Amino acid sequence: MPPKFDPNEEKVIMLVTVGGEMAPASSLAPKVGPLGLNAKKIGDDIMKATKDWKGLRVTCKLLVKNRQAKVEVVPSASSLVMRALKEPPRDRKKVKNIKHDGNIPLDEIIAIARIMWPRSMARQLKGSVKEILGTAFSIGCTVDGMSPKALTDKISAGEIEIPEK
């Protein structure tokens, strides 16, 4: 027989969902059902928490304690870069293979790197900025009108200074 469920224990559930949309109850039920939670109610909570991220795939962290769930949005580097592009929300079912060919200022890349730095393996902010520039390159956008790869080379050479504070 499995051990007795401790109500004061805090469980963490990570799941990826599309922002602002109702997560299908069929995918939530196996994760939250054993904890005694209603999948439909959790789906509504996730939808409310991710309405700022409409149309973008984001990771959500569910903190469950005493059969009460709190939803935290844990954005990935790619979703932060796509949000910085300020593209209008798209209909996922109709529009496929979208090109993200916008331009982002370097200051926003540095701001995104500051958000991602605690989760990054980089020792300095410069390394985290390079990681975000790599993400921007894979998405296909430019930074200050230049290729993110060229900007990464300039940062490595010391031509562009990244402030630590």
Side-chain angles (χ1 to χ4, degrees):
M1 210 167 120
K4 184 123 172 64
F5 178 68
D6 181 18
N8 293 325
E9 184 185 7
E10 193 168 278
K11 294 264 189 194
V12 177
I13 302 170
M14 301 292 278
L15 44 102
V16 178
T17 184
V18 177
E21 290 184 18
M22 178 76 172
S26 60
S27 67
L28 286 175
K31 294 178 178 98
V32 299
L35 302 174
L37 296 168
N38 183 350
K40 194 168 188 298
K41 185 177 166 295
I42 298 294
D44 287 336
D45 292 346
I46 290 171
M47 192 168 76
K48 284 182 194 132
T50 61
K51 68 175 174 273
D52 296 344
W53 298 88
K54 192 154 180 62
L56 297 174
R57 288 179 67 87
V58 288
T59 307
C60 290
K61 184 179 185 180
L62 281 175
L63 299 166
V64 182
K65 187 175 181 180
N66 279 341
R67 293 185 60 196
Q68 295 297 315
K70 280 190 292 214
V71 181
E72 277 181 30
V73 178
V74 185
S76 64
S78 58
S79 58
L80 284 167
V81 169
M82 287 182 157
R83 189 180 194 188
L85 284 170
K86 296 178 179 70
E87 293 177 341
R90 64 184 178 99
D91 186 4
R92 290 186 314 128
K93 292 177 176 61
K94 293 178 186 160
V95 184
K96 303 279 185 201
N97 300 331
I98 191 166
K99 290 269 187 273
H100 304 284
D101 54 0
N103 189 34
I104 304 174
L106 183 62
D107 298 335
E108 277 196 58
I109 294 287
I110 294 172
I112 292 169
R114 285 188 202 284
I115 294 168
M116 294 299 291
W117 194 12
R119 291 189 279 156
S120 166
M121 297 299 281
R123 284 180 290 166
Q124 298 174 327
L125 183 63
K126 182 165 70 170
S128 188
V129 168
K130 286 183 190 177
E131 287 178 9
I132 302 301
L133 284 170
T135 305
F137 179 75
S138 69
I139 286 174
C141 61
T142 58
V143 178
D144 281 343
M146 299 168 59
S147 162
K149 228 174 198 174
L151 219 53
T152 303
D153 293 340
K154 284 188 176 185
I155 290 171
S156 296
E159 294 173 33
I160 296 176
E161 203 57 43
I162 303 295
E164 284 294 322
K165 293 279 178 218

